[in-house]
């Protein structure tokens, strides 16, 4: 390993990660009030005061809003920088220039510059904690590279977030609010809103979603033509907020040509063509992302059928509902039943999937599987009902639900998969207590809905169960029930692949949800 190479940088960064629980303020390096001292050590105070910033907070959709804003302004010809979190596979995903993650060379150049100065200068204060350091690194990168605009996504909350040392952003935005991180932000929406509103500054324009009805109306009117780069109806709200933020930024900082473009679009009640292009070309991994298992594509016995992963890091009740709507729509559009029959959507229109359509999909070998994990701080009694309710409304049933423990170690970063997962012994028995609790909650809610008649009895599951006994998988999966705890994520993926190898006519649609960490782990394993 090179002393100043990428792996060494990740090891150094890992030393800043704490294992404390959220809400524990014992780590002094995470104190917001140290941020100004860190800026002083890094001589970033004056450069940061000249940085043009769009600052976005919110419970759900803030990452998508930032990505939309970045894409719009990039299409307009401005040199953009984006700081977002969390990353899914590689920490460099958090830093983007003109829509592309920072190169390894540029990352190392600024990483060690910041690291050395903080190590030498932090005599009266502790080294910054993990997210604070990454925020400072972003500030150094963006100011040194002289970007036209930096879009900053708040990590958590707003008032005490590391990004909130920005004293005079050009415009602020707050995406949709919901109940998340309540142990830190409060247990009521007013309390949570107060924390998020901490990014507001005197004299700085601010917008919130979904109150921006003027921009939202335009997007809804043109939704059929827009073809947003991020899927899901909920993305219209995020796109509307991004349009408002970009309009304000351009009117303040943009060229005369673009100012005129925005003014004309406002008068016409439409969107500039460059905005439309930006909204279409946006990309953000782990949000309504569809990935086919390419490993199976190379198998001789698997020709037309395989596994498709529908990945969304939804982890709040509101985002789970949006995720479920997207999954129902995406699988409907991917269904041979839908493609062969224009009327197969049923009476519910574009999102409608009737029971007979689901039955027809089953006959065609289509199976739906939920792959789920979430942090113990989250309440599955709040997360599962929106998913079950929306799917029931659209006639969609999961043939199996698999609950897996965390795979990657998020107290250690590394490019090597085995080191990044933090697993030293393949036969180590994981603690599955939380996953068993998730399973019990899922099955209890499922039974309640079946007894209430909101979910029909899925007799087809019995056939799927009988097939399982012949897969020859690990003994812990030899007779997997309709919902099960699987000891590891790789084992779950291998079981799914064995299903398809044993039954080449089968196509499995896997919804991966509950955690962006889980989504990142799946992407990491699929790339391996």
């Amino acid at each position: 390993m090179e002393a100043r190479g990428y792996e060494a940088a990740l090891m150094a960064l890992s030393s800043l990660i704490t294992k404390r629980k959220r809400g524990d303020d014992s780590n002094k390096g995470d104190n917001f009030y140290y941020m100004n001292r860190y800026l002083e050590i890094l001589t970033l105070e004056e450069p940061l005061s000249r940085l043009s910033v769009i600052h976005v907070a919110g419970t759900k959709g803030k990452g998508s809003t930032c990505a939309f804003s970045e894409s719009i302004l990039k299409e307009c010809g401005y040199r953009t920088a984006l700081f977002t979190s969390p990353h899914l596979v590689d920490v460099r995903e958090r830093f983007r220039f003109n829509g592309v993650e920072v190169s390894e060379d540029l990352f190392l150049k600024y990483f060690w510059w910041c690291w050395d100065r903080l190590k030498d200068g932090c005599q009266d204060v502790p080294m910054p904690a993990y997210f604070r350091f990454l925020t400072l690194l972003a500030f150094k990168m963006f100011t040194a590279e002289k970007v036209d605009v930096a879009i900053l996504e708040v990590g958590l909350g707003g008032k005490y977030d590391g990004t909130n040392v920005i004293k005079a952003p050009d415009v602020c935005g707050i995406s949709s609010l919901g109940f998340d991180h309540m142990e830190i932000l409060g247990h009521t929406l007013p309390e949570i809103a107060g924390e998020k509103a901490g990014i507001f500054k005197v004299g700085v324009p601010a917008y919130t979603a979904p109150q921006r009805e003027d921009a939202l109306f335009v997007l809804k009117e043109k939704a059929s033509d827009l073809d947003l780069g991020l899927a899901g109806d909920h993305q219209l709200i995020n796109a509307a907020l991004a349009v408002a933020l970009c309009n304000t930024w351009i009117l303040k900082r943009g060229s005369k040509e673009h100012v005129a473009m925005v003014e004309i679009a406002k008068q016409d009640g439409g969107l500039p063509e460059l905005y439309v292009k930006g909204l279409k070309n946006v990309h953000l991994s782990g949000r309504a992302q569809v990935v086919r298992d390419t490993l199976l594509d190379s198998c001789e016995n698997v020709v037309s059928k395989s596994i498709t992963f529908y990945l969304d890091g939804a982890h709040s009740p509101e985002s789970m509902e949006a995720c479920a709507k997207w999954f129902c729509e995406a699988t409907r559009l991917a269904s041979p039943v839908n493609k062969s029959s224009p009327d197969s959507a049923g009476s519910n229109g574009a999102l409608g999937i009737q029971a007979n359509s689901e039955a027809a999909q089953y006959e065609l070998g289509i199976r739906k599987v939920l792959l789920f994990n979430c942090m113990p701080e989250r309440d599955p009694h709040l997360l599962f009902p929106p998913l079950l309710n929306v799917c029931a409304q659209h006639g969609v049933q999961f043939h199996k639900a698999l609950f897996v423990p965390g795979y990657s170690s998020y107290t250690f970063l590394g490019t090597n998969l085995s080191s990044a997962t933090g697993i030293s012994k393949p036969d180590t028995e994981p603690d599955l207590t939380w996953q068993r609790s998730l399973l019990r909650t899922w099955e209890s809610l499922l039974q309640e809905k079946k007894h209430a008649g909101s979910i029909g009895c899925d007799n087809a599951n019995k056939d799927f169960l009988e097939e399982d006994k012949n897969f020859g998988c690990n003994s812990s999966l030899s007779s997997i029930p309709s919902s099960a705890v699987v000891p590891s994520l790789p084992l779950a993926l291998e079981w799914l692949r064995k299903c398809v190898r044993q039954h080449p006519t089968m196509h499995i649609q896997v919804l991966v949800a509950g955690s962006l960490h889980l989504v990142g782990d799946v992407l990491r394993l699929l790339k391996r």
Side-chain angles (χ1 to χ4, degrees):
M1 180 193 308
E2 296 181 17
R4 310 290 276 186
Y6 191 57
E7 201 67 33
L10 295 183
M11 288 186 67
L13 191 55
S14 296
S15 70
L16 303 179
I17 301 175
T18 65
K19 296 182 180 180
R20 63 199 175 95
K21 293 183 178 180
R22 284 180 170 151
D24 175 7
D25 60 359
S26 61
N27 180 19
K28 294 182 179 180
D30 208 26
N31 191 314
F32 173 75
Y33 297 103
Y34 290 143
M35 283 296 289
N36 287 323
R37 176 65 180 128
Y38 298 140
L39 292 177
E40 183 182 341
I41 293 171
L42 296 173
T43 62
L44 283 176
E45 296 160 300
E46 194 275 332
L48 201 58
S49 69
R50 292 185 280 106
L51 184 66
S52 177
V53 170
I54 296 175
H55 201 189
V56 182
T59 305
K60 54 189 187 295
K62 65 182 186 291
S64 298
T65 298
C66 288
F68 278 126
S69 301
E70 172 201 44
S71 188
I72 289 172
L73 294 176
K74 178 173 70 72
E75 290 297 339
C76 289
Y78 297 104
R79 179 163 165 74
T80 63
L82 172 67
F83 177 58
T84 187
S85 61
H87 66 274
L88 299 182
V89 177
D90 192 310
V91 70
R92 291 183 294 117
E93 297 168 22
R94 296 172 182 249
F95 314 90
R96 297 206 310 210
F97 290 99
N98 293 325
V100 179
E101 71 180 47
V102 64
S103 68
E104 189 173 303
D105 289 342
L106 205 62
F107 177 88
L108 289 174
K109 172 184 174 180
Y110 292 119
F111 177 88
W112 291 117
W113 189 94
C114 291
W115 182 266
D116 292 340
R117 280 156 183 78
L118 287 168
K119 274 292 187 181
D120 292 340
C122 287
Q123 302 300 321
D124 54 335
V125 292
M127 277 289 285
Y130 176 66
F131 183 79
R132 304 288 198 216
F133 182 90
L134 293 176
T135 303
L136 294 164
L137 177 56
F139 291 159
K140 176 58 183 177
M141 285 185 185
F142 298 168
T143 54
E145 291 299 309
K146 302 187 185 306
V147 299
D148 295 319
V149 57
I151 299 102
L152 305 180
E153 178 191 357
V154 166
L156 192 156
K159 184 177 181 180
Y160 298 110
D161 187 73
T163 60
N164 205 31
V165 292
I166 299 294
K167 296 179 180 178
D170 286 305
V171 61
C172 296
I174 294 185
S175 64
S176 301
L177 298 180
F179 294 98
D180 200 9
H181 307 303
M182 293 180 290
E183 70 278 8
I184 298 175
L185 305 180
H187 294 273
T188 68
L189 275 181
E191 288 177 319
I192 293 170
E195 289 293 323
K196 306 290 185 183
I199 68 169
F200 290 167
K201 307 294 189 300
V202 176
V204 176
Y207 300 94
T208 65
Q211 289 86 342
R212 292 296 304 170
E213 290 299 333
D214 51 352
L216 185 59
F217 175 77
V218 172
L219 290 175
K220 283 184 175 179
E221 286 289 300
K222 297 180 178 295
S224 59
D225 300 323
L226 275 177
D227 188 22
L228 296 180
L230 297 179
D233 286 351
H234 60 290
Q235 293 295 356
L236 284 172
I237 295 174
N238 301 326
L241 178 56
V243 166
L245 296 173
C246 291
N247 278 346
T248 300
W249 186 87
I250 284 178
L251 291 174
K252 186 175 182 178
R253 295 270 193 168
S255 66
K256 292 182 179 179
E257 176 188 358
H258 289 142
V259 169
M261 173 189 73
V262 170
E263 294 288 4
I264 292 172
K266 281 187 174 182
Q267 294 172 10
D268 294 343
L271 289 174
E273 186 59 35
L274 291 174
Y275 278 39
V276 174
K277 189 175 180 181
L279 293 172
K280 181 178 180 180
N281 293 336
V282 69
H283 173 73
L284 190 64
S285 294
R287 282 78 166 182
Q289 183 179 6
V290 181
V291 177
R292 187 182 176 94
D293 187 1
T294 55
L295 180 65
L296 285 173
D297 291 342
S298 60
C299 298
E300 295 180 2
N301 294 332
V302 182
V303 181
S304 60
K305 307 291 183 181
S306 62
I307 306 172
T308 302
F309 292 90
Y310 296 80
L311 304 120
D312 193 275
H315 52 266
S316 70
E318 298 85 359
S319 59
M320 287 295 288
E321 180 179 357
C323 170
K325 290 179 180 177
W326 162 72
F327 179 69
C328 291
E329 168 70 346
T331 53
R332 181 190 70 84
L333 292 175
S335 169
V337 175
N338 176 66
K339 293 177 181 178
S340 63
S341 173
D343 298 325
S344 61
S347 60
N348 287 332
L351 289 178
I353 298 181
Q354 300 301 316
N356 62 339
S357 176
E358 182 74 4
Q361 290 188 42
Y362 188 90
E363 292 300 319
L364 289 170
I366 296 174
R367 306 290 188 270
K368 290 180 174 63
V369 172
L370 173 66
L371 186 60
F372 190 91
N373 189 34
C374 67
M375 298 179 66
E377 289 84 0
R378 312 213 183 274
D379 186 351
H381 292 90
L382 298 178
L383 297 181
F384 290 149
L387 175 63
L388 286 169
N389 291 339
V390 170
C391 288
Q393 290 167 11
H394 297 93
V396 172
Q397 295 183 46
F398 289 102
H399 302 97
K400 292 199 185 300
L402 306 181
F403 301 96
V404 295
Y407 185 54
S408 293
S409 169
Y410 288 91
T411 58
F412 183 82
L413 303 173
T415 55
N416 180 276
L417 186 63
S418 59
S419 63
T421 59
I423 297 175
S424 57
K425 296 181 180 180
D427 57 349
T428 300
E429 288 294 329
D431 182 359
L432 301 175
T433 305
W434 174 241
Q435 285 65 41
R436 293 190 183 100
S437 176
L438 292 173
L439 180 144
R440 287 192 296 270
T441 303
W442 173 266
E443 290 188 337
S444 175
L445 291 170
L446 207 59
Q447 288 301 319
E448 287 178 11
K449 292 188 176 297
K450 284 184 177 181
H451 290 154
S454 58
I455 295 180
C457 294
D458 190 2
N459 293 326
N461 269 352
K462 297 180 180 179
D463 298 331
F464 203 16
L465 292 174
E466 290 172 1
E467 293 167 349
D468 300 343
K469 299 176 182 179
N470 301 318
F471 287 144
C473 299
N474 183 289
S475 59
S476 63
L477 290 175
S478 60
S479 183
I480 195 169
S482 58
S483 55
V485 170
V486 184
S488 74
L489 179 58
L491 187 59
L493 294 186
E494 180 55 28
W495 179 78
L496 290 168
R497 286 166 173 163
K498 284 186 178 182
C499 289
V500 176
R501 289 191 184 104
Q502 292 287 337
H503 302 268
T505 60
M506 183 181 293
H507 182 91
I508 303 179
Q509 298 169 326
V510 185
L511 174 61
V512 183
S515 163
L516 277 168
H517 294 324
L518 174 62
V519 168
D521 288 340
V522 171
L523 289 173
R524 184 191 299 265
L525 288 168
L526 291 178
K527 285 182 179 180
R528 183 169 61 171

